[in-house]
Amino acid sequence: MAFTPTHTDRLINVVLALAQYPILSGRIRQQMRRELFSRGIIQPADFENEVRRLAILSQEREGLRNPVGEEPAEVWETRMSRIRDHLTDLRFSQHLTLEVLENIISEVLSERGIDMVGLMLSLNPETAPLDLVFEQAMTIERLPPEERQKYEARLQETKVVLIRSLISDQLRYINIAKRWFTIDDLQQIRRHKIGPGRIGGKAAGMLLAHRILRQASALSEDTCLITPDSYYVGADVFYSFMSINNLFHWNDQKYKTEAEMRADYPHILRDFMEGDFRPDIAQRLEALLGSVGKQPLIVRSSSLLEDNFGTAFAGKYESVFLPNQGRPSENLRALTRAIARVYASTLNPNALLYRRARGLQDYDERMAVLIQVVQGERYGRYYLPQGAGVAFSRNLYRWAPQIRREEGFVRLVWGLGTRAVDRVGNDFPRLIALSHPLLRPSTDPKAIRRYSQQYVDVIDLEDNAFKSLPVQEVLKGDYPALRYVAQIEEDGYFASLRSRYMGDDKRLVLTFEELLRRTPFAERMRELLHTLEHHYEAPVDVEFTLSVEEKQDKPELCITILQCRPQSQLQVTAAAALPADLDPQDVIFKTHFVVPEGTLERIDYVVFVPPEGYFALESLNQRNELARAIGRLNSALENERFICVGPGRWGSSNSDLGVPIDYGDIYHARALVELAGQGYGLPPEPSLGTHFFQDLLESQIYPLAIYLDQPGSIFRRDFFYETPDRLREWMDLPAELSSSLRLIRVADYRPNHHLEIVMSDEKGVAVAFLRPDAENNLTKF
């Protein structure tokens, strides 16, 4: 699977280098022929007769018959010269060794006062083949320290060329990566790369994070970091796949309307899933499977734009888990289908609309693929990590005033990390403010139980399948890391485990309390995030897994970084300011629940989903139709300033908990406001760290939640229910959806007024209020 340079490879690189110097390569071939003649392998006359015969044969293949009369003399001589060189190489390789060739090359170079090192150093890395750029870099690294110092600038240049060729052409990334990657790091990447092209953004971020953390001195000496086994399918394989399967007719999807994109995508997915790979790529994938054995794999997108500064593409493309427990042919088929599914996701409407919104529609978005061995361990029939999640170096939404924003936060789950980054149904991760890791959003035992993790994502090794299962079905008293992930519920409080648990498994609750108390998890994550933020010169977020192993009655914690990228943030230029004398009659809504920092001015429209109308929709089909209708309204209101207000969790995968919109349905909105309480749905659960949350921050869409049962919350019903509905002026709506969607023009509620929203993280309050159109300035408290 891996390519390892040998002495022979390096000699071949020298030969390639000489090809760029015709005089030297001509002299070397003269010496090669002389060696053939002197050893009696072939006579000069016979050699030239063979050259002439082959030249005439080549003419005949081109339809020529008379070597003199039908071809100019200079063309004939060029033909003879090239065939002479080719025949020299062929005869030499058939009868003589590479050592003889090396002696000839050394002799010719010494005649000119050149050595092999000098030859390699004379190459231009910007134009030389990649093999020679690597050879040049290794030549410099093999020099004695006093000699190497003279070529540090050239080594830096070769490193940049290699990073740009293998990994990424994003300038901000290159500027950081060139300071950290060694030539050996780049060789390792190349050895694990399948096919031509760059390895893409997700792979680039993961590799850079590991290099920084391995080398940075800021981490504690006993920090255990594991690098996942990773392989990379180059981005150019994507185009070869499309070419051999006649898929280029789908390339114009990004210029179609949203409705056309959504109608076409099922056909696109089918066409991609039926596609085949080039035989050489299929063989490399088969070799990969042979080298990893029966270990589960994950196939992840790694597009050229993904995980870059300002364009995370969080959750836009597919990731596919492969249990990898079948017969070799079945495992290979599953792997190629998973890659094809990732390729198809480049044309997913949500990805295309995201690109359109970010001004990236015209970019050549080729897809590389990152294949990783899944981090975890076997537990019975299941395979899963002891912990996984996403961590952010900046805590943008604080649920208590003492939480320090700059310390970061973590979204942690048991099992595979999918439940940490997706806003999945009726489930909850453990939210950890790293400045105060034991401080929960709620201390009420019933709330802790209610908002603990209810389901776990695992790989079922016996069924060869990815599954989401109830925690109580998987977690038993014999789980090795039980004391670190769970507690026992006893008479309204939670008790930690001190020994092997033999009681009722249904009393186990996932809290991670002992992980936070007994291991340096929070400290390690703070160090790790601060180190990466410092060297990235920007806040970061990372995806990770963790494991805890008891060694001599002391827990040993290990962390694996799976992904690293710049953290999406709301752009706040100044602290929010509220009017000092705000009239209560002007307040449309007010909330104290997990408030960001910022101000939204001149909101003229409110898209409102009445909770009663939404929950009256009887089928998932109707709720999905409503989500698509909101998407059409989002497009129609592109040039207006509007917010969306609705029940439960916007973007939930469970339509019973909120409107199942995608990013492509709301990306023109300025804020998403979630209603809960008084029959409107469950109390809001902060979506910090999910892919959907990242989309909102990146697009500067403010997430807000109003828990109507919370003291101090305000929700002016007459504004939302009694203001005239303007929806039909903008679009048609099926009759069965008529009571589930309204469009409110603020000026209809109070003429010559608009809505303004001020959010103060410091004061823990967000207020939406009416302001006359003529007024622009705010007065601070």
Side-chain angles (χ1 to χ4, degrees):
M1 180 64 210
F3 166 77
T4 304
T6 63
H7 175 76
T8 300
D9 298 317
R10 288 196 288 273
L11 181 57
I12 290 171
N13 284 334
V14 172
V15 174
L16 288 172
L18 287 166
Q20 301 187 70
Y21 300 92
I23 295 175
L24 288 175
S25 58
R27 174 63 178 152
I28 288 171
R29 284 198 172 91
Q30 285 179 3
Q31 294 292 83
M32 290 166 67
R33 286 192 289 274
R34 180 178 296 174
E35 195 72 26
L36 288 168
F37 300 154
S38 67
R39 290 173 182 252
I41 295 170
I42 190 170
Q43 295 302 312
D46 294 338
F47 182 86
E48 284 301 314
N49 287 336
E50 181 69 4
V51 170
R52 181 179 178 84
R53 184 184 70 81
L54 292 172
I56 292 173
L57 282 176
S58 72
Q59 284 184 318
E60 291 175 355
R61 285 194 294 269
E62 297 171 16
L64 301 177
R65 292 292 179 269
N66 187 335
V68 178
E70 294 188 46
E71 186 168 73
E74 62 271 17
V75 176
W76 168 253
E77 287 303 323
T78 300
R79 186 187 298 272
M80 286 279 286
S81 175
R82 290 177 178 173
I83 291 176
R84 186 178 293 111
D85 288 346
H86 170 75
L87 190 60
T88 300
D89 296 345
L90 178 63
R91 290 285 186 265
F92 197 97
S93 66
Q94 289 172 333
H95 298 281
L96 298 174
T97 65
L98 283 169
E99 285 73 20
V100 176
L101 176 60
E102 186 173 14
N103 291 335
I104 290 173
I105 292 172
S106 297
E107 182 182 333
V108 170
L109 292 178
S110 63
E111 288 175 0
R112 304 282 194 289
I114 303 171
D115 58 16
M116 290 193 185
V117 172
L119 174 68
M120 298 310 303
L121 294 178
S122 69
L123 295 173
N124 178 2
E126 294 286 356
T127 58
L130 207 60
D131 280 332
L132 297 185
V133 181
F134 268 113
E135 187 64 41
Q136 183 181 74
M138 289 186 293
T139 298
I140 295 172
E141 288 194 333
R142 287 193 292 265
L143 292 173
E146 62 278 6
E147 292 257 348
R148 174 175 166 166
Q149 186 63 34
K150 297 186 295 186
Y151 295 102
E152 281 300 323
R154 175 57 61 86
L155 184 62
Q156 189 86 326
E157 182 186 13
T158 60
K159 198 182 294 183
V160 168
V161 169
L162 292 170
I163 291 169
R164 196 169 59 229
S165 301
L166 288 172
I167 305 177
S168 173
D169 64 351
Q170 302 294 319
L171 293 180
R172 287 188 69 178
Y173 178 87
I174 293 173
N175 189 48
I176 301 168
K178 69 183 182 184
R179 303 198 296 265
W180 293 96
F181 281 129
T182 66
I183 299 302
D184 186 60
D185 292 330
L186 300 172
Q187 282 279 31
Q188 290 289 343
I189 293 169
R190 189 182 185 212
R191 291 167 194 164
H192 284 245
K193 190 164 77 73
I194 297 171
R198 300 186 185 99
I199 65 175
K202 190 170 291 180
M206 182 268 297
L207 290 166
L208 179 57
H210 275 280
R211 167 39 73 185
I212 291 173
L213 293 173
R214 284 200 307 269
Q215 192 168 326
S217 59
L219 296 181
S220 303
E221 289 185 5
D222 60 345
T223 299
C224 174
L225 285 172
I226 298 173
T227 303
D229 292 335
S230 303
Y231 304 86
Y232 323 99
V233 181
D236 291 355
V237 178
F238 174 60
Y239 270 179
S240 73
F241 177 84
M242 293 190 71
S243 176
I244 66 175
N245 293 292
N246 298 315
L247 296 171
F248 279 119
H249 63 280
W250 290 120
N251 250 7
D252 61 353
Q253 288 299 111
K254 58 189 176 183
Y255 299 111
K256 293 183 179 179
T257 65
E258 181 179 346
E260 290 173 322
M261 291 178 190
R262 295 194 184 279
D264 287 343
Y265 189 60
H267 305 290
I268 292 171
L269 185 58
R270 180 201 62 211
D271 286 354
F272 273 73
M273 293 296 286
E274 292 175 353
D276 294 317
F277 285 82
R278 279 180 5 206
D280 61 316
I281 299 299
Q283 289 169 5
R284 294 289 302 278
L285 294 173
E286 187 175 14
L288 184 159
L289 291 173
S291 68
V292 301
K294 291 286 189 177
Q295 297 180 91
L297 300 173
I298 181 171
V299 178
R300 313 182 74 191
S301 66
S302 186
S303 81
L304 297 186
L305 284 174
E306 205 167 352
D307 286 4
N308 284 316
F309 289 84
T311 58
F313 282 81
K316 293 296 170 295
Y317 301 128
E318 290 268 11
S319 290
V320 183
F321 282 99
L322 300 177
N324 200 33
Q325 303 301 300
R327 295 190 301 271
S329 60
E330 294 172 337
N331 293 340
L332 179 60
R333 175 69 178 172
L335 177 57
T336 56
R337 293 314 87 202
I339 296 172
R341 180 175 286 275
V342 171
Y343 285 166
S345 68
T346 60
L347 301 177
N348 184 304
N350 292 316
L352 296 177
L353 292 169
Y354 175 92
R355 290 176 58 188
R356 185 176 292 178
R358 307 300 294 166
L360 300 170
Q361 183 169 260
D362 300 324
Y363 188 87
D364 176 21
E365 175 66 321
R366 270 169 287 179
M367 176 63 75
V369 173
L370 170 62
I371 303 171
Q372 292 179 307
V373 173
V374 176
Q375 299 300 297
E377 60 187 9
R378 183 164 191 152
Y379 172 55
R381 65 184 293 164
Y382 304 117
Y383 186 92
L384 69 164
Q386 295 175 352
V390 58
F392 293 76
S393 66
R394 294 300 174 97
N395 192 343
L396 302 181
Y397 278 55
R398 302 181 299 162
W399 54 87
Q402 63 267 44
I403 292 174
R404 293 189 292 276
R405 181 191 302 269
E406 67 279 5
E407 298 284 329
F409 81 96
V410 170
R411 191 175 172 93
L412 181 64
V413 297
W414 180 52
L416 300 172
T418 40
R419 304 196 81 75
V421 297
D422 296 335
R423 204 169 194 197
V424 289
N426 187 13
D427 208 0
F428 308 90
R430 174 71 192 264
L431 296 182
I432 303 166
L434 291 175
S435 65
H436 296 76
L438 297 175
L439 181 63
R440 291 176 169 275
S442 173
T443 57
D444 177 61
K446 289 184 179 179
I448 292 174
R449 173 75 172 186
R450 175 68 187 83
Y451 295 114
S452 66
Q453 184 181 342
Q454 308 296 317
Y455 294 86
V456 58
D457 287 348
V458 301
I459 291 173
D460 188 326
L461 297 173
E462 293 184 11
D463 286 351
N464 197 28
F466 171 90
K467 291 183 178 179
S468 296
L469 300 171
V471 165
Q472 292 179 352
E473 185 177 319
V474 181
L475 186 63
K476 305 298 178 184
D478 62 349
Y479 184 64
L482 185 65
R483 68 168 62 184
Y484 298 103
V485 301
Q487 291 180 293
I488 311 166
E489 187 178 16
E490 291 183 341
D491 301 324
Y493 71 94
F494 295 95
S496 295
L497 294 155
R498 301 302 175 195
S499 61
R500 193 175 188 86
Y501 181 64
M502 305 296 290
D504 182 3
D505 295 332
K506 294 181 179 179
R507 294 167 58 200
L508 294 171
V509 180
L510 290 174
T511 64
F512 294 101
E513 199 73 11
E514 289 303 297
L515 175 78
L516 299 174
R517 290 183 184 277
R518 299 188 60 210
T519 77
F521 172 73
E523 177 187 347
R524 292 292 180 272
M525 291 305 298
R526 284 197 303 268
E527 292 176 349
L528 183 152
L529 292 168
H530 287 171
T531 299
L532 291 174
E533 178 176 308
H534 173 72
H535 293 293
Y536 259 73
E537 301 174 2
V540 297
D541 77 72
V542 301
E543 292 182 19
F544 67 92
T545 64
L546 64 86
S547 64
V548 184
E549 184 178 355
E550 290 280 2
K551 290 196 174 179
Q552 299 175 345
D553 294 327
K554 181 182 179 182
E556 181 178 287
L557 173 73
C558 283
I559 296 172
T560 302
I561 302 300
L562 303 175
Q563 182 174 334
C564 179
R565 62 187 170 208
Q567 181 179 350
S568 302
Q569 299 185 81
L570 294 167
Q571 302 300 321
V572 179
T573 55
L578 284 165
D581 53 351
L582 188 60
D583 187 336
Q585 295 302 310
D586 292 337
V587 177
I588 299 302
F589 66 75
K590 182 179 181 181
T591 182
H592 297 274
F593 184 86
V594 191
V595 175
E597 186 77 22
T599 302
L600 287 174
E601 300 177 347
R602 191 75 203 203
I603 301 300
D604 294 314
Y605 286 91
V606 176
V607 175
F608 178 51
V609 177
E612 305 85 352
Y614 176 74
F615 289 118
L617 296 176
E618 297 179 353
S619 69
L620 175 60
N621 231 16
Q622 288 180 326
R623 292 176 179 181
N624 285 333
E625 283 184 26
L626 175 64
R628 301 294 82 80
I630 293 171
R632 294 194 298 276
L633 184 57
N634 172 74
S635 296
L637 294 172
E638 177 179 1
N639 297 318
E640 305 293 338
R641 293 180 64 84
F642 69 96
I643 64 172
C644 297
V645 180
R649 304 179 188 175
W650 287 102
S652 174
S653 60
N654 183 343
S655 67
D656 289 335
L657 301 179
V659 187
I661 49 95
D662 292 317
Y663 168 80
D665 298 316
I666 47 81
Y667 65 90
H668 290 309
R670 306 292 173 160
L672 282 189
V673 184
E674 302 179 340
L675 303 175
Q678 297 182 3
Y680 287 2
L682 290 170
E685 179 264 333
S687 59
L688 288 72
T690 63
H691 288 153
F692 185 72
F693 180 82
Q694 292 302 99
D695 285 340
L696 301 186
L697 298 190
E698 208 170 87
S699 298
Q700 303 302 299
I701 300 171
Y702 286 84
L704 286 171
I706 307 174
Y707 185 17
L708 298 177
D709 295 340
Q710 187 180 51
S713 294
I714 296 174
F715 179 72
R716 190 169 294 281
R717 287 183 59 89
D718 61 339
F719 173 85
F720 291 96
Y721 286 90
E722 298 175 16
T723 306
D725 183 7
R726 295 272 185 174
L727 183 62
R728 274 111 192 123
E729 297 176 11
W730 294 85
M731 59 177 285
D732 294 325
L733 192 69
E736 64 270 19
L737 302 180
S738 59
S739 62
S740 58
L741 185 61
R742 306 184 83 241
L743 179 62
I744 300 164
R745 191 175 73 170
V746 177
D748 288 339
Y749 181 78
R750 188 178 295 178
N752 302 316
H753 281 68
H754 60 270
L755 203 61
E756 203 144 288
I757 305 175
V758 176
M759 296 155 282
S760 173
D761 169 54
E762 181 182 350
K763 299 182 183 300
V765 62
V767 181
F769 57 92
L770 297 168
R771 177 175 288 282
D773 292 342
E775 295 184 17
N776 294 313
N777 298 321
L778 296 173
T779 304
K780 291 185 178 180
F781 283 116

